[in-house]
Amino acid sequence: MTATAPSGETLWSRCGGCAALLYRKRLRRNLDVCPECGLHTRLAAPERISQLVDPGSFRPLPDRAVEVDPIGFVDVLPYPHRLTAARADTGLAEAVLCGTATVGGSRCALAVMDFRFLGGSLGCAVGELITRTAEQALESGVPLVLVTASGGARMQEGALSLMQMATVSQAMAALREAGLLTVSVLTDPTYGGVAASFATSADLVLAESGARMGFAGPRVIRQVTGRSLPEGFQTAEFLLRHGQVDMVVPRHALRARLATLLAVAGTGRRATKRSDAPAPPSASAPAVDPSRAPARDAWETVRLARHPARPTTLDYLETTFDGFTELHGDRLGGDCPAVVGGLARLDGRHLMVIGHQKGHTTAELAARNFGMATPAGHRKALRLMRLAARIGLPVVTLVDTPGADPGVDAEEHGQAAAIAENILTLSMLPTPVVTVVTGEGGSGGALALAVADRVLMLQHAVYSVISPEGCAAILWPGRTAAPQAARALRLTAPDLCRLGVVDEVVPEPDGSAADDPEATARAVRQALLANLLPLLDVPAVTLVQRRRRRFRRFGAARAGARAGAR
Ligand SMILES: [Zn+2]
């Protein structure tokens, strides 16, 4: 077989990353990722499609775009000549290949760009084809997947090329309004008009390993600023660190990751009006009768709530929930490590889980900013709440924070407004929200995740307007009065249940959650199911009305509700 092969060049190729000589078939088997250095070589659109979708499932869109040279552009060559050459070189009609397919059994519409075709530039025909693909998604009620590779606008089509950013964005807007998921996969390179429209306005933005994305290209930036650029500028990892993408995915994992995400899309509240009867409302009766709960000293409870061995949000995501897919970034410039969030399943039901993340060791705690969210953390949470509402997923939040980050940087980035926006958005969110205060519920930072339909609290968690130390420092002569302050603040679960701030106390195992994380995880799961299931069939309007009533009643604290007044 090899004896009849035409020439050495077609059998072997040299890696652009490490210069290793690679057997072509081996490279192809490895999805065109260099087995030596991991370089992801650029893929032609047909290859990309065959790698991503279920075999044989791709159906190209029926309509062909009309030939366009809208402004009769000529540089050294007339534009039509360049088009003809690109068609001959690539075997494609345009710089994008569009159709419908299934990925992991889930249907979607997809548009895959091809950088070989005039640099994947966004001309009128490309815009038209992607728009039609989005319209197809809308018509069929399926998610839209966009794989981008582009240098930007197609200057040979002048301002009409620029308009494509708006044309495609409008089609994306219609999908948003319809609650249909959009996913973009950034591949190398994605720049200019494509980056500044549909590549980054999708609900979920994945970056393939090795992809670079930005509005302005590095050469332009260097020219304009006269400065050298930082190492790794605009790479996938850079984008993740700066909150621009949800995740970085190596090519070999892309299909599976897409399959997971598309599977979620078909399961939202709108998609699955469950006919099986929800758990009876009596499930909302307190699991622990607050008046009979063993009385523990408030200060001792504070210490239990802060215990480093207490399960964290990521622990619960491992134990209480299944199939967690973490989503990153606020899309504005940051990814706060003190807030984690993403898609997960609870007893087979898809939902969005968002929580504060502390850690068990000093190193973990420091890396997570001790669970104190920055504005970027609050804005990541906000983005995920809104996404959940759009695609019809319930939201579960896990609260465990000493408070919002009190730094200078946080103030510069609008910490107060970030918290305020979360509280406001949760007051309007048209999807069920259940909160569990799992450790420390510290002030505004806690409430930014806790304006919920049901607010649960672990038995030895605390929830307070200020830390006992902070309160003591202000109202007592010194910090040593923290234990007295803890008692005076009524910050324990039984107290807050009596005040109506908390709806239900989730029992902890003997000792505390730190002594038996597994039993705690089971208790949290049980409590979540009992509280969430009855909410799933409540119409969004009613949910929001009830939620507002729930918090409205704190406007005039009832005398009879004072702690200990029962
Ligand atoms: Zn290599």
Side-chain angles (χ1 to χ4, degrees):
M1 189 171 88
T2 46
T4 57
S7 71
E9 288 83 17
T10 58
L11 281 177
W12 297 88
S13 66
R14 200 171 281 284
C15 172
C18 66
L21 202 55
L22 300 167
Y23 189 46
R24 269 281 176 87
K25 282 188 178 168
R26 182 174 170 225
L27 187 59
R28 185 52 54 92
R29 271 200 307 276
N30 205 37
L31 307 179
D32 285 278
V33 176
C34 172
E36 304 297 328
C37 74
L39 179 83
H40 285 52
T41 59
R42 287 176 188 165
L43 292 182
E47 252 180 280
R48 172 70 70 180
I49 289 170
S50 74
Q51 286 188 11
L52 276 189
V53 309
D54 298 337
S57 70
F58 184 71
R59 300 277 172 277
L61 279 194
D63 293 335
R64 284 258 151 145
V66 285
E67 186 149 343
V68 277
D69 178 12
I71 58 172
F73 188 89
V74 179
D75 51 301
V76 290
L77 272 182
Y79 173 42
H81 291 201
R82 291 195 188 274
L83 274 178
T84 308
R87 285 177 182 150
D89 287 350
T90 60
L92 300 176
E94 255 301 345
V96 67
L97 208 49
C98 303
T100 58
T102 62
V103 179
S106 298
R107 290 176 61 215
C108 65
L110 87 164
V112 176
M113 303 188 76
D114 195 316
F115 193 74
R116 297 172 308 155
F117 195 107
L118 298 178
S121 53
L122 179 58
C124 295
V126 172
E128 173 69 18
L129 288 165
I130 297 177
T131 299
R132 283 189 204 171
T133 312
E135 286 167 354
Q136 177 69 53
L138 185 65
E139 199 183 305
S140 318
V142 299
L144 174 70
V145 176
L146 302 167
V147 182
T148 62
S150 174
R154 188 172 292 179
M155 55 195 143
Q156 294 91 339
E157 297 185 16
L160 292 172
S161 162
L162 186 66
M163 294 305 115
Q164 301 313 310
M165 293 167 69
T167 308
V168 179
S169 294
Q170 283 184 182
M172 302 280 283
L175 291 174
R176 246 189 210 211
E177 286 163 352
L180 290 167
L181 185 73
T182 55
V183 183
S184 77
V185 179
L186 310 178
T187 76
D188 194 57
T190 296
Y191 278 97
V194 169
S197 59
F198 50 89
T200 54
S201 64
D203 292 320
L204 299 173
V205 182
L206 283 54
E208 185 178 53
S209 298
R212 289 163 306 152
M213 185 279 283
F215 179 59
R219 205 178 45 176
V220 170
I221 299 175
R222 264 193 303 265
Q223 269 171 10
V224 172
T225 63
R227 294 212 315 241
S228 60
L229 299 173
E231 180 78 15
F233 186 62
Q234 295 180 329
T235 57
E237 291 68 30
F238 170 97
L239 299 171
L240 184 68
R241 214 165 47 243
H242 291 283
Q244 305 300 308
V245 298
D246 284 291
M247 59 188 89
V248 178
V249 189
R251 189 170 291 168
H252 65 79
L254 257 184
R255 185 205 292 234
R257 189 49 65 91
L258 263 185
T260 305
L261 297 174
L262 296 181
V264 175
T267 61
R269 258 155 68 82
R270 259 174 249 106
T272 52
K273 272 278 162 209
R274 290 187 170 274
S275 53
D276 45 321
S282 66
S284 61
V288 171
D289 181 345
S291 61
R292 296 221 320 256
R296 225 187 251 263
D297 176 63
W299 181 241
E300 195 194 336
T301 308
V302 169
R303 297 165 69 138
L304 288 177
R306 293 174 180 171
H307 197 286
R310 215 172 158 80
T312 66
T313 293
L314 284 177
D315 293 328
Y316 288 113
L317 281 161
E318 277 283 310
T319 52
T320 299
F321 302 89
D322 307 297
F324 177 54
T325 303
E326 186 166 3
L327 304 175
H328 289 273
D330 64 355
R331 294 278 197 281
L332 298 170
D335 183 42
C336 173
V339 173
V340 295
L343 304 161
R345 292 189 306 275
L346 180 70
D347 203 30
R349 288 168 172 79
H350 292 274
L351 31 80
M352 187 71 79
V353 183
I354 306 165
H356 300 101
Q357 177 62 24
K358 286 187 177 174
H360 299 299
T361 65
T362 309
E364 282 172 6
L365 281 163
R368 296 287 180 179
N369 198 26
F370 300 87
M372 298 187 294
T374 61
H378 291 125
R379 288 170 181 144
K380 168 163 67 177
L382 179 71
R383 183 174 78 83
L384 299 185
M385 291 168 194
R386 286 180 172 156
L387 172 60
R390 271 208 303 280
I391 61 176
L393 297 180
V395 175
V396 168
T397 64
L398 304 178
V399 169
D400 186 15
T401 179
D405 181 27
V408 172
D409 210 48
E411 295 299 321
E412 284 176 358
H413 288 89
Q415 182 69 287
I419 294 170
E421 189 63 27
N422 282 20
I423 294 172
L424 193 70
T425 299
L426 280 169
S427 308
M428 305 184 279
L429 206 72
T431 195
V433 184
V434 177
T435 292
V436 187
V437 182
T438 59
E440 280 184 280
S443 192
L447 191 64
L449 292 188
V451 181
D453 301 306
R454 302 283 297 168
V455 179
L456 321 181
M457 192 163 164
L458 279 179
Q459 193 178 347
H460 305 310
V462 294
Y463 191 4
S464 177
V465 67
I466 187 169
S467 71
E469 291 88 343
C471 179
I474 295 168
L475 297 181
W476 270 266
R479 280 181 166 252
T480 50
Q484 287 112 286
R487 280 167 220 134
L489 281 167
R490 304 284 180 195
L491 44 62
T492 67
D495 274 343
L496 292 167
C497 227
R498 280 190 284 269
L499 286 169
V501 170
V502 165
D503 301 301
E504 182 174 322
V505 182
V506 182
E508 293 190 28
D510 286 344
S512 77
D515 297 306
D516 193 346
E518 283 167 34
T520 311
R522 282 195 299 275
V524 169
R525 170 194 288 252
Q526 212 171 25
L528 275 176
L529 283 171
N531 283 276
L532 188 59
L533 295 187
L535 299 174
L536 294 180
D537 287 330
V538 179
V541 179
T542 315
L543 264 181
V544 172
Q545 273 172 358
R546 282 190 202 162
R547 194 181 308 145
R548 290 194 191 164
R549 267 208 301 276
R550 186 188 182 284
F551 286 86
R552 175 70 181 85
R553 68 178 188 231
F554 301 121
R558 295 159 300 147
R562 263 185 290 117
R566 289 165 66 98

